[in-house]
């Protein structure tokens, strides 16, 4: 199978898995937010933010490097995974022991402390699952990742429904997440055993030392990126009210759900980027420009749709208590434009061996976000957090493109952005002149009309041409025909 067909197959699998999983996750978040109310939902969001940082510290970027290591040395897969598994279990013990003492002994609110401990354990279960998930990513069999992602969300939904029928406390909700994440780990563990064979625990100290040295810059970068995602919630908790935190979390949760799409789409691109970066930089740049052009064309209508239909989306997803979150979602819509290209940047930095540069850029983004939050939250509450997030994400993309350009990664920003942006502005202008109706059905109808108008304007502005569409369609048709032929040959 050609590289393009492998990538296309993995992209289709991730889109389907991410689409179904995202819808299920949206529903789960809606149920939780409605059940807890704004203030308790804000407290739960704080627990998620805190635990998310713990997960990043324990991961240290190793799982991302695993993909590169296994893809380049598939014959060493058992030794690599055996050593990393041993390291993961050691990290689990190192984290859980002191955290258990802090949560169960020193935190006065015992329910809150136990909730933190349960959610931290859930995060560590995800770390173990992701290690096995990296194996399927490295061997470009990402259908497994997409399938298990959907199964995890189905199980989480079922458990949340059970939680709602019983004692719907934050403590019990954290237990629900722990059970769902353990099940996800078991799915990956069993599937890896059946597909690639059982791997015994091992401890290759020289290799682990090499992997840690390579991973530390990536780990710090991911830590700063994750901290940037959660710093708003933490500072809102300290500088504002639980209500402001709950409203911001409700709006930002939608952005985080959308954010999963570009990050998932970027996963299949990584092996090809890594190979091209080591052999042909011109081909690498061409491939990167195609990715960014595709991402921009997707990001812009999502951004425009959120801006136009923000109040309707909040009204459908949450209760009337969250009505004020509509304006926050409108302001946050601009972040979508930046999270799509930013999702590929970690792989670009790693593929070109610029991990340390990525670390410094990520630190700068975190600092800008935190500083702006401290400045604006006391005056504007949740809107102050939105300002910090938007400026930080813009800085990340702009500075990354500038620094990577100096390193030989050439991106034609003007040709990628200008025409699609013009198409978006025209589409949004039209919809600002017409009434927007409430209700799920009307949202689907009006959202569909908005996408049709945007697509038509892409053709009018020549952001994409009919010839390009015809070429893509022919490629897909040819790929399908080749797949049928290969199946017939196999059956024969």
């Amino acid at each position: 199978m050609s590289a393009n067909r492998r990538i296309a197959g993995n992209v289709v699998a991730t889109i389907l898995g991410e689409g179904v999983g995202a819808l299920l996750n949206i529903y789960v978040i809606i149920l939780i937010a409605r059940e807890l109310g704004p203030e308790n939902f804000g407290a739960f969001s704080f627990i998620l933010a805190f635990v998310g940082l713990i997960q990043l510290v324990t991961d240290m970027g190793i799982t991302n490097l695993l993909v590169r290591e296994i893809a380049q040395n598939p014959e060493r897969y058992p030794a690599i995974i055996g050593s990393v598994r041993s390291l993961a279990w050691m990290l689990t013990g190192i984290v859980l022991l002191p955290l258990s003492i802090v949560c169960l002994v020193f935190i006065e609110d015992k329910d809150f402390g136990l909730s933190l401990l349960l959610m931290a354990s859930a995060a560590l279960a995800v770390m173990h699952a992701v290690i096995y998930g990296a194996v399927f990513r490295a061997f470009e069999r990402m259908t497994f990742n997409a399938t298990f992602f959907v199964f995890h969300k189905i199980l989480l939904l079922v458990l949340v429904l059970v939680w709602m029928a019983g004692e719907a406390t934050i403590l019990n909700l954290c237990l629900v997440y722990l059970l769902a994440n353990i099940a996800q780990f078991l799915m990956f563990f069993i599937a890896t055993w059946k597909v690639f064979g059982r791997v015994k625990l091992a401890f290759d100290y020289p290799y682990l030392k090499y992997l840690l040295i390579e991973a530390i810059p990536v780990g710090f970068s991911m830590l700063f990126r994750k901290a940037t995602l959660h710093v708003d919630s933490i500072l809102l908790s300290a500088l504002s009210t639980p209500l402001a935190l709950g409203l911001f979390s409700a709006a930002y949760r939608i952005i985080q759900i959308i954010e999963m799409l570009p990050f998932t789409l970027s996963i299949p691109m990584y092996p090809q980027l890594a190979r091209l970066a080591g052999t042909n930089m011109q081909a690498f740049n061409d491939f990167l420009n195609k990715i960014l052009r595709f991402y921009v064309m997707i990001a812009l209508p999502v951004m425009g749709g959120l801006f136009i239909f923000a109040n309707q989306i909040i009204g459908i997803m949450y209760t009337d208590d969250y009505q004020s979150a509509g304006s926050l979602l409108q302001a946050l819509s601009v972040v979508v434009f930046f999270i799509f290209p930013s999702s590929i940047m970690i792989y670009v930095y790693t593929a070109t061996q610029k991990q340390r540069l990525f670390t410094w850029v990520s630190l700068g983004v975190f600092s800008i976000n935190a500083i702006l939050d401290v400045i604006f939250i006391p005056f504007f509450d949740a809107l102050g957090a939105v300002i910090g997030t938007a400026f930080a994400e813009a800085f990340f993309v702009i500075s990354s493109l500038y620094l990577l350009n100096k390193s030989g990664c050439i991106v034609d920003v003007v040709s990628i952005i200008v025409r699609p942006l013009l198409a978006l502005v025209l589409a949004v202008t039209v919809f600002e002149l017409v009434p927007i109706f409430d209700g799920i059905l009307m949202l689907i109808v009006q959202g569909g009309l908005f996408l049709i108008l945007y697509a038509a304007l892409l053709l009018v502005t020549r952001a994409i041409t009919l010839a390009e569409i015809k070429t893509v369609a022919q490629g897909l048709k040819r790929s399908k025909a080749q797949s049928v032929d290969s199946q017939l040959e196999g059956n024969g």
Side-chain angles (χ1 to χ4, degrees):
M1 184 183 292
S2 68
N4 288 337
R5 288 180 61 194
R6 283 198 308 272
I7 293 172
N10 287 323
V11 167
V12 170
T14 53
I15 288 176
L16 291 175
E18 186 67 30
V20 175
L23 289 175
L24 291 170
N25 197 44
I26 290 171
Y27 187 46
V28 167
I29 294 300
I30 292 172
L31 292 176
I32 292 173
R34 285 175 175 268
E35 188 69 26
L36 292 178
E39 292 194 14
N40 284 333
F41 185 62
F44 179 65
S45 298
F46 173 79
I47 292 175
L48 288 178
F50 177 79
V51 169
L53 297 181
I54 293 177
Q55 185 178 352
L56 269 182
V57 171
T58 54
D59 179 85
M60 296 185 297
I62 290 177
T63 51
N64 272 318
L65 286 178
L66 271 179
V67 177
R68 187 185 74 185
E69 292 295 306
I70 296 174
Q72 293 178 350
N73 305 283
E75 71 284 352
R76 295 198 64 239
Y77 147 71
I80 294 173
I81 289 297
S83 294
V84 173
R85 281 181 61 201
S86 299
L87 178 63
W89 283 113
M90 286 189 293
L91 288 173
T92 300
I94 292 172
V95 170
L96 281 184
L97 181 59
L99 188 62
S100 298
I101 295 173
V102 171
C103 291
L104 301 179
V105 177
F106 292 102
I107 295 180
E108 294 184 4
D109 188 336
K110 298 304 178 184
D111 282 351
F112 180 76
L114 187 54
S115 297
L116 275 179
L117 182 59
L118 288 176
M119 194 58 80
S121 301
L124 290 169
V126 170
M127 178 189 70
H128 286 271
V130 169
I131 288 174
Y132 289 103
V135 177
F136 290 103
R137 288 170 56 193
F139 286 107
E140 297 184 83
R141 303 184 66 173
M142 297 170 200
T143 303
F144 285 90
N145 300 71
T147 302
F148 294 154
F149 177 74
V150 173
F151 282 166
H152 174 256
K153 299 307 176 191
I154 292 174
L155 178 59
L156 181 61
L157 172 59
V158 171
L159 292 175
V160 165
L161 291 174
V162 173
W163 166 76
M164 292 175 63
E167 189 176 354
T169 63
I170 293 178
L171 175 60
N172 289 339
L173 180 59
C174 292
L175 178 61
V176 161
Y177 271 83
L178 174 60
L179 294 175
N181 291 357
I182 290 175
Q184 183 185 39
F185 159 70
L186 291 174
M187 284 189 286
F188 273 110
F189 174 75
I190 295 171
T192 306
W193 183 2
K194 294 295 183 181
V195 175
F196 302 107
R198 189 171 184 177
V199 176
K200 296 181 179 180
L201 292 173
F203 193 82
D204 185 345
Y205 176 75
Y207 177 73
L208 285 178
K209 181 180 178 181
Y210 154 77
L211 196 63
L212 286 172
I213 292 173
E214 286 286 303
I216 284 174
V218 179
F220 274 112
S221 303
M222 294 176 65
L223 178 62
F224 292 135
R225 290 296 293 151
K226 193 74 171 183
T228 302
L229 295 176
H230 294 297
V231 68
D232 304 292
S233 297
I234 294 172
L235 290 177
L236 269 172
S237 178
L239 301 175
S240 190
T241 64
L243 178 61
L245 174 57
L247 293 174
F248 174 81
S249 298
Y252 194 58
R253 186 68 61 187
I254 297 172
I255 301 299
Q256 288 179 313
I257 292 170
I258 294 172
E259 185 180 36
M260 296 172 67
L261 174 60
F263 275 97
T264 303
L265 288 176
S266 297
I267 292 172
M269 313 296 181
Y270 181 34
Q272 182 74 349
L273 284 170
R275 286 191 292 268
L276 292 176
T279 58
N280 188 336
M281 278 304 296
Q282 181 58 51
F284 174 90
N285 288 334
D286 291 341
F287 187 49
L288 177 59
N289 276 265
K290 289 178 181 178
I291 294 172
L292 291 175
R293 185 186 181 207
F294 173 62
Y295 281 6
V296 166
M297 286 189 180
I298 296 176
L300 287 174
V302 176
M303 178 180 73
L306 284 180
F307 180 81
I308 295 170
F309 305 112
N311 290 321
Q312 286 70 26
I313 293 171
I314 292 294
I316 291 171
M317 291 185 61
Y318 304 106
T319 63
D320 291 340
D321 294 334
Y322 291 91
Q323 186 176 3
S324 300
S327 59
L328 297 177
L329 182 58
Q330 272 191 316
L332 279 170
S333 64
V334 69
V335 175
V336 173
F337 176 74
F338 297 105
I339 63 175
F340 270 78
S342 70
S343 67
I344 197 67
M345 290 304 170
I346 182 173
Y347 300 117
V348 174
Y349 280 111
T350 305
T352 55
Q353 298 183 346
K354 302 293 182 184
Q355 297 100 308
R356 288 170 177 78
L357 182 60
F358 184 40
T359 302
W360 288 112
V361 173
S362 300
L363 175 59
V365 173
F366 170 74
S367 301
I368 289 173
N369 199 342
I371 292 171
L372 292 179
D373 279 354
V374 171
I375 293 173
F376 289 110
I377 286 176
F379 296 99
F380 302 107
D381 292 324
L383 183 59
V386 172
I387 294 171
T389 298
F391 274 94
E393 290 302 315
F395 174 81
F396 177 72
V397 173
I398 294 170
S399 61
S400 292
L401 290 175
Y402 172 75
L403 293 171
L404 289 170
N405 181 75
K406 294 183 66 175
S407 301
C409 300
I410 310 300
V411 176
D412 190 353
V413 177
V414 174
S415 66
I416 288 174
I417 294 178
V418 171
R419 292 178 187 271
L421 183 58
L422 176 59
L424 176 72
V425 171
L426 293 174
V428 171
T429 301
V430 170
F431 269 76
E432 284 294 298
L433 299 176
V434 299
I436 304 298
F437 300 99
D438 295 330
I440 296 177
L441 180 60
M442 292 307 302
L443 178 62
I444 294 173
V445 171
Q446 292 176 119
L449 291 173
F450 174 73
L451 291 177
I452 292 172
L453 177 60
Y454 172 74
L457 289 169
L458 285 179
L459 292 171
V460 171
T461 59
R462 297 187 63 78
I464 188 171
T465 64
L466 289 174
E468 289 175 318
I469 296 175
K470 184 177 179 180
T471 300
V472 171
Q474 289 175 343
L476 292 174
K477 184 178 180 181
R478 185 165 54 250
S479 175
K480 182 179 180 181
Q482 290 172 351
S483 176
V484 172
D485 289 343
S486 65
Q487 290 177 14
L488 291 174
E489 290 174 4
N491 293 333

